[in-house]
mmCIF file of all heavy atoms in Angstrom:
data_model
loop_
_atom_site.group_PDB
_atom_site.id
_atom_site.type_symbol
_atom_site.label_atom_id
_atom_site.label_comp_id
_atom_site.label_asym_id
_atom_site.label_seq_id
_atom_site.Cartn_x
_atom_site.Cartn_y
_atom_site.Cartn_z
ATOM 1 N N THR A 1 117.622 34.303 1.513
ATOM 2 C CA THR A 1 117.427 35.297 0.474
ATOM 3 C C THR A 1 115.989 35.290 -0.009
ATOM 4 O O THR A 1 115.302 34.276 0.045
ATOM 5 C CB THR A 1 118.344 35.034 -0.743
ATOM 6 O OG1 THR A 1 118.038 33.734 -1.265
ATOM 7 C CG2 THR A 1 119.809 35.096 -0.355
ATOM 8 N N VAL A 2 115.553 36.452 -0.486
ATOM 9 C CA VAL A 2 114.248 36.597 -1.119
ATOM 10 C C VAL A 2 114.494 37.300 -2.442
ATOM 11 O O VAL A 2 115.160 38.342 -2.481
ATOM 12 C CB VAL A 2 113.280 37.426 -0.248
ATOM 13 C CG1 VAL A 2 111.941 37.585 -0.948
ATOM 14 C CG2 VAL A 2 113.097 36.780 1.120
ATOM 15 N N ALA A 3 113.991 36.745 -3.516
ATOM 16 C CA ALA A 3 114.239 37.324 -4.837
ATOM 17 C C ALA A 3 113.621 38.709 -4.950
ATOM 18 O O ALA A 3 112.489 38.931 -4.516
ATOM 19 C CB ALA A 3 113.675 36.412 -5.916
ATOM 20 N N PRO A 4 114.342 39.670 -5.510
ATOM 21 C CA PRO A 4 113.776 40.996 -5.726
ATOM 22 C C PRO A 4 112.770 40.981 -6.854
ATOM 23 O O PRO A 4 112.674 40.007 -7.616
ATOM 24 C CB PRO A 4 115.003 41.827 -6.109
ATOM 25 C CG PRO A 4 115.896 40.853 -6.799
ATOM 26 C CD PRO A 4 115.709 39.556 -6.039
ATOM 27 N N ASP A 5 112.026 42.040 -6.986
ATOM 28 C CA ASP A 5 111.096 42.175 -8.091
ATOM 29 C C ASP A 5 111.858 42.148 -9.413
ATOM 30 O O ASP A 5 112.919 42.773 -9.535
ATOM 31 C CB ASP A 5 110.322 43.487 -7.950
ATOM 32 C CG ASP A 5 109.282 43.654 -9.037
ATOM 33 O OD1 ASP A 5 108.217 43.053 -8.924
ATOM 34 O OD2 ASP A 5 109.569 44.379 -10.011
ATOM 35 N N ALA A 6 111.337 41.431 -10.402
ATOM 36 C CA ALA A 6 112.013 41.317 -11.692
ATOM 37 C C ALA A 6 112.186 42.683 -12.347
ATOM 38 O O ALA A 6 113.190 42.937 -13.022
ATOM 39 C CB ALA A 6 111.222 40.391 -12.616
ATOM 40 N N GLY A 7 111.228 43.579 -12.146
ATOM 41 C CA GLY A 7 111.327 44.916 -12.731
ATOM 42 C C GLY A 7 112.478 45.717 -12.154
ATOM 43 O O GLY A 7 113.083 46.549 -12.855
ATOM 44 N N LEU A 8 112.803 45.486 -10.874
ATOM 45 C CA LEU A 8 113.915 46.184 -10.251
ATOM 46 C C LEU A 8 115.232 45.747 -10.890
ATOM 47 O O LEU A 8 116.109 46.573 -11.169
ATOM 48 C CB LEU A 8 113.936 45.908 -8.747
ATOM 49 C CG LEU A 8 114.964 46.694 -7.929
ATOM 50 C CD1 LEU A 8 114.594 48.174 -7.898
ATOM 51 C CD2 LEU A 8 115.053 46.149 -6.506
ATOM 52 N N VAL A 9 115.375 44.451 -11.115
ATOM 53 C CA VAL A 9 116.579 43.932 -11.766
ATOM 54 C C VAL A 9 116.672 44.453 -13.193
ATOM 55 O O VAL A 9 117.743 44.856 -13.663
ATOM 56 C CB VAL A 9 116.590 42.398 -11.741
ATOM 57 C CG1 VAL A 9 117.780 41.843 -12.519
ATOM 58 C CG2 VAL A 9 116.631 41.892 -10.304
ATOM 59 N N GLU A 10 115.561 44.469 -13.884
ATOM 60 C CA GLU A 10 115.536 44.983 -15.260
ATOM 61 C C GLU A 10 115.991 46.442 -15.298
ATOM 62 O O GLU A 10 116.782 46.834 -16.157
ATOM 63 C CB GLU A 10 114.123 44.867 -15.827
ATOM 64 C CG GLU A 10 113.964 45.434 -17.234
ATOM 65 C CD GLU A 10 112.523 45.426 -17.708
ATOM 66 O OE1 GLU A 10 111.809 44.453 -17.415
ATOM 67 O OE2 GLU A 10 112.122 46.408 -18.367
ATOM 68 N N ASP A 11 115.503 47.253 -14.359
ATOM 69 C CA ASP A 11 115.892 48.664 -14.314
ATOM 70 C C ASP A 11 117.366 48.830 -13.955
ATOM 71 O O ASP A 11 118.035 49.752 -14.447
ATOM 72 C CB ASP A 11 115.030 49.427 -13.312
ATOM 73 C CG ASP A 11 113.665 49.789 -13.873
ATOM 74 O OD1 ASP A 11 113.439 49.583 -15.082
ATOM 75 O OD2 ASP A 11 112.818 50.288 -13.101
ATOM 76 N N LEU A 12 117.876 47.951 -13.099
ATOM 77 C CA LEU A 12 119.293 48.038 -12.733
ATOM 78 C C LEU A 12 120.177 47.726 -13.936
ATOM 79 O O LEU A 12 121.197 48.387 -14.157
ATOM 80 C CB LEU A 12 119.592 47.082 -11.576
ATOM 81 C CG LEU A 12 121.015 47.113 -11.005
ATOM 82 C CD1 LEU A 12 121.405 48.517 -10.553
ATOM 83 C CD2 LEU A 12 121.146 46.124 -9.852
ATOM 84 N N VAL A 13 119.799 46.739 -14.715
ATOM 85 C CA VAL A 13 120.531 46.426 -15.940
ATOM 86 C C VAL A 13 120.458 47.606 -16.902
ATOM 87 O O VAL A 13 121.481 48.043 -17.460
ATOM 88 C CB VAL A 13 119.954 45.157 -16.610
ATOM 89 C CG1 VAL A 13 120.568 44.946 -17.995
ATOM 90 C CG2 VAL A 13 120.198 43.933 -15.728
ATOM 91 N N ALA A 14 119.265 48.151 -17.075
ATOM 92 C CA ALA A 14 119.090 49.296 -17.975
ATOM 93 C C ALA A 14 119.916 50.493 -17.512
ATOM 94 O O ALA A 14 120.527 51.189 -18.324
ATOM 95 C CB ALA A 14 117.618 49.680 -18.053
ATOM 96 N N ALA A 15 119.955 50.735 -16.205
ATOM 97 C CA ALA A 15 120.688 51.873 -15.669
ATOM 98 C C ALA A 15 122.176 51.790 -15.995
ATOM 99 O O ALA A 15 122.806 52.799 -16.338
ATOM 100 C CB ALA A 15 120.488 51.964 -14.157
ATOM 101 N N ASN A 16 122.745 50.592 -15.883
ATOM 102 C CA ASN A 16 124.150 50.420 -16.243
ATOM 103 C C ASN A 16 124.391 50.839 -17.684
ATOM 104 O O ASN A 16 125.366 51.539 -17.991
ATOM 105 C CB ASN A 16 124.558 48.956 -16.047
ATOM 106 C CG ASN A 16 124.960 48.637 -14.632
ATOM 107 O OD1 ASN A 16 126.094 48.870 -14.225
ATOM 108 N ND2 ASN A 16 124.026 48.097 -13.867
ATOM 109 N N ARG A 17 123.510 50.440 -18.571
ATOM 110 C CA ARG A 17 123.666 50.740 -19.987
ATOM 111 C C ARG A 17 123.411 52.217 -20.286
ATOM 112 O O ARG A 17 124.076 52.828 -21.124
ATOM 113 C CB ARG A 17 122.737 49.839 -20.797
ATOM 114 C CG ARG A 17 123.130 48.364 -20.692
ATOM 115 C CD ARG A 17 122.043 47.452 -21.236
ATOM 116 N NE ARG A 17 122.473 46.060 -21.139
ATOM 117 C CZ ARG A 17 123.094 45.404 -22.113
ATOM 118 N NH1 ARG A 17 123.366 46.017 -23.249
ATOM 119 N NH2 ARG A 17 123.448 44.144 -21.956
ATOM 120 N N ILE A 18 122.426 52.803 -19.592
ATOM 121 C CA ILE A 18 122.134 54.226 -19.768
ATOM 122 C C ILE A 18 123.331 55.078 -19.356
ATOM 123 O O ILE A 18 123.706 56.031 -20.054
ATOM 124 C CB ILE A 18 120.889 54.622 -18.952
ATOM 125 C CG1 ILE A 18 119.628 54.005 -19.561
ATOM 126 C CG2 ILE A 18 120.743 56.141 -18.878
ATOM 127 C CD1 ILE A 18 118.411 54.089 -18.663
ATOM 128 N N LEU A 19 123.925 54.757 -18.219
ATOM 129 C CA LEU A 19 125.052 55.540 -17.724
ATOM 130 C C LEU A 19 126.217 55.519 -18.716
ATOM 131 O O LEU A 19 126.914 56.522 -18.890
ATOM 132 C CB LEU A 19 125.493 55.029 -16.358
ATOM 133 C CG LEU A 19 124.491 55.270 -15.217
ATOM 134 C CD1 LEU A 19 124.914 54.508 -13.969
ATOM 135 C CD2 LEU A 19 124.361 56.757 -14.911
ATOM 136 N N PHE A 20 126.418 54.388 -19.363
ATOM 137 C CA PHE A 20 127.441 54.316 -20.405
ATOM 138 C C PHE A 20 127.015 55.139 -21.615
ATOM 139 O O PHE A 20 127.795 55.932 -22.158
ATOM 140 C CB PHE A 20 127.681 52.867 -20.825
ATOM 141 C CG PHE A 20 128.606 52.734 -22.002
ATOM 142 C CD1 PHE A 20 129.976 52.932 -21.868
ATOM 143 C CD2 PHE A 20 128.097 52.446 -23.265
ATOM 144 C CE1 PHE A 20 130.827 52.834 -22.960
ATOM 145 C CE2 PHE A 20 128.936 52.338 -24.360
ATOM 146 C CZ PHE A 20 130.308 52.536 -24.208
ATOM 147 N N ASP A 21 125.783 54.982 -22.029
ATOM 148 C CA ASP A 21 125.271 55.669 -23.206
ATOM 149 C C ASP A 21 125.312 57.184 -23.034
ATOM 150 O O ASP A 21 125.532 57.931 -24.002
ATOM 151 C CB ASP A 21 123.841 55.206 -23.485
ATOM 152 C CG ASP A 21 123.344 55.609 -24.858
ATOM 153 O OD1 ASP A 21 124.039 55.332 -25.846
ATOM 154 O OD2 ASP A 21 122.253 56.195 -24.942
ATOM 155 N N GLN A 22 125.125 57.661 -21.799
ATOM 156 C CA GLN A 22 125.108 59.093 -21.521
ATOM 157 C C GLN A 22 126.483 59.651 -21.154
ATOM 158 O O GLN A 22 126.609 60.825 -20.820
ATOM 159 C CB GLN A 22 124.115 59.386 -20.391
ATOM 160 C CG GLN A 22 122.670 59.109 -20.764
ATOM 161 C CD GLN A 22 122.171 60.001 -21.890
ATOM 162 O OE1 GLN A 22 122.397 61.206 -21.888
ATOM 163 N NE2 GLN A 22 121.487 59.408 -22.855
ATOM 164 N N GLY A 23 127.513 58.818 -21.197
ATOM 165 C CA GLY A 23 128.870 59.287 -20.954
ATOM 166 C C GLY A 23 129.232 59.507 -19.500
ATOM 167 O O GLY A 23 130.218 60.183 -19.206
ATOM 168 N N VAL A 24 128.459 58.923 -18.588
ATOM 169 C CA VAL A 24 128.758 59.061 -17.158
ATOM 170 C C VAL A 24 129.799 58.028 -16.729
ATOM 171 O O VAL A 24 130.646 58.292 -15.885
ATOM 172 C CB VAL A 24 127.476 58.927 -16.321
ATOM 173 C CG1 VAL A 24 127.786 58.949 -14.823
ATOM 174 C CG2 VAL A 24 126.501 60.044 -16.673
ATOM 175 N N VAL A 25 129.726 56.837 -17.303
ATOM 176 C CA VAL A 25 130.710 55.784 -17.028
ATOM 177 C C VAL A 25 131.298 55.307 -18.354
ATOM 178 O O VAL A 25 130.729 55.533 -19.428
ATOM 179 C CB VAL A 25 130.085 54.585 -16.276
ATOM 180 C CG1 VAL A 25 129.498 55.027 -14.947
ATOM 181 C CG2 VAL A 25 129.025 53.896 -17.134
ATOM 182 N N ASP A 26 132.446 54.619 -18.256
ATOM 183 C CA ASP A 26 133.013 53.964 -19.429
ATOM 184 C C ASP A 26 133.147 52.475 -19.091
ATOM 185 O O ASP A 26 132.166 51.802 -18.875
ATOM 186 C CB ASP A 26 134.324 54.612 -19.863
ATOM 187 C CG ASP A 26 135.300 54.819 -18.689
ATOM 188 O OD1 ASP A 26 135.117 54.195 -17.618
ATOM 189 O OD2 ASP A 26 136.264 55.578 -18.848
ATOM 190 N N GLY A 27 134.365 51.966 -19.040
ATOM 191 C CA GLY A 27 134.551 50.592 -18.599
ATOM 192 C C GLY A 27 134.531 50.468 -17.087
ATOM 193 O O GLY A 27 134.518 49.358 -16.550
ATOM 194 N N PHE A 28 134.543 51.607 -16.396
ATOM 195 C CA PHE A 28 134.578 51.643 -14.936
ATOM 196 C C PHE A 28 133.364 52.393 -14.405
ATOM 197 O O PHE A 28 132.734 53.172 -15.109
ATOM 198 C CB PHE A 28 135.871 52.303 -14.447
ATOM 199 C CG PHE A 28 137.108 51.544 -14.819
ATOM 200 C CD1 PHE A 28 137.779 51.820 -16.009
ATOM 201 C CD2 PHE A 28 137.598 50.533 -14.007
ATOM 202 C CE1 PHE A 28 138.921 51.116 -16.366
ATOM 203 C CE2 PHE A 28 138.728 49.824 -14.349
ATOM 204 C CZ PHE A 28 139.398 50.113 -15.532
ATOM 205 N N GLY A 29 133.096 52.180 -13.126
ATOM 206 C CA GLY A 29 131.937 52.792 -12.485
ATOM 207 C C GLY A 29 130.884 51.740 -12.192
ATOM 208 O O GLY A 29 130.882 50.660 -12.801
#
């Protein structure tokens, strides 16, 4: 394994939260 860029992980975490905040996902997705 090679660690991904920290910014990519940060954006992935943010994206999960954004999708919930924008009503695209709830507890699923």
